[in-house]
């Protein structure tokens, strides 16, 4: 993923984090059980953190263009958001517990994304 695309996706994801957080706080309160609302809040939290990670990766990509570690981290953070956060959002709205099986795959993508971002920083000042 190139720097511009990474920055764009990070910014849009940040925007969605605020929208989804507000929806959870105002639209779902009282409409879903408290446990489900906790799942929603966890998804919002992780989406927000990884939106910032995408922005950091995009800025780093401006300094280190064509770095495969940075590109991989962006794709892995995006995959993590879709699988981890997405499964928790859907779990909250549908109550389908089988969706919880997808969540750890997204968490693993987050971990791999952080590893790739760490590896990318090894290229600074070399």
């Amino acid at each position: 993923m190139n720097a511009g695309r990474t920055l764009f996706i990070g910014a849009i994801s940040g925007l969605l984090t605020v929208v989804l957080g507000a929806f959870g706080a105002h639209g779902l309160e009282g409409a879903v059980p408290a446990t489900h609302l906790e799942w929603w809040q966890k998804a919002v939290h992780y989406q927000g953190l990884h939106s910032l990670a995408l922005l950091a990766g995009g800025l780093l990509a401006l300094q280190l263009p064509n770095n495969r570690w940075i590109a991989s981290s962006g794709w892995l953070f995006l995959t993590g958001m879709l699988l981890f956060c997405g499964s928790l959002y859907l779990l909250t709205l549908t109550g389908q517990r089988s969706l919880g099986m997808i969540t750890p795959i997204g968490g693993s993508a987050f971990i791999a994304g952080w590893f790739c971002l760490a590896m990318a920083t090894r290229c600074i000042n070399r």
Side-chain angles (χ1 to χ4, degrees):
M1 189 176 320
N2 67 34
R5 182 176 292 146
T6 303
L7 290 166
F8 178 77
I9 292 171
I12 294 299
S13 180
L15 177 148
L16 290 173
T17 299
V18 175
V19 170
L20 292 167
F23 176 71
H26 303 291
L28 292 179
E29 191 172 23
V32 298
T35 304
H36 293 186
L37 199 52
E38 289 175 22
W39 297 334
W40 187 274
Q41 291 167 345
K42 183 168 292 301
V44 168
H45 176 77
Y46 274 81
Q47 183 175 344
L49 287 174
H50 290 89
S51 296
L52 294 173
L54 279 170
L55 292 172
L59 293 173
L60 186 59
L62 292 172
Q63 298 300 312
L64 301 169
N66 302 316
N67 183 293
R68 66 185 175 103
W69 291 109
I70 298 170
S72 295
S73 74
W75 287 113
L76 287 162
F77 289 144
L78 180 58
T79 299
M81 283 193 279
L82 292 172
L83 296 178
F84 183 90
C85 302
S87 66
L88 289 177
Y89 290 136
L90 289 172
L91 181 59
T92 300
L93 296 173
T94 67
Q96 293 293 319
R97 294 229 181 229
S98 60
L99 290 166
M101 294 187 307
I102 298 168
T103 310
I105 299 168
S108 297
F110 283 150
I111 292 166
W114 283 108
F115 175 79
C116 288
L117 194 58
M119 294 303 290
T121 65
R122 295 182 59 223
C123 297
I124 298 173
N125 293 326
R126 285 199 168 178

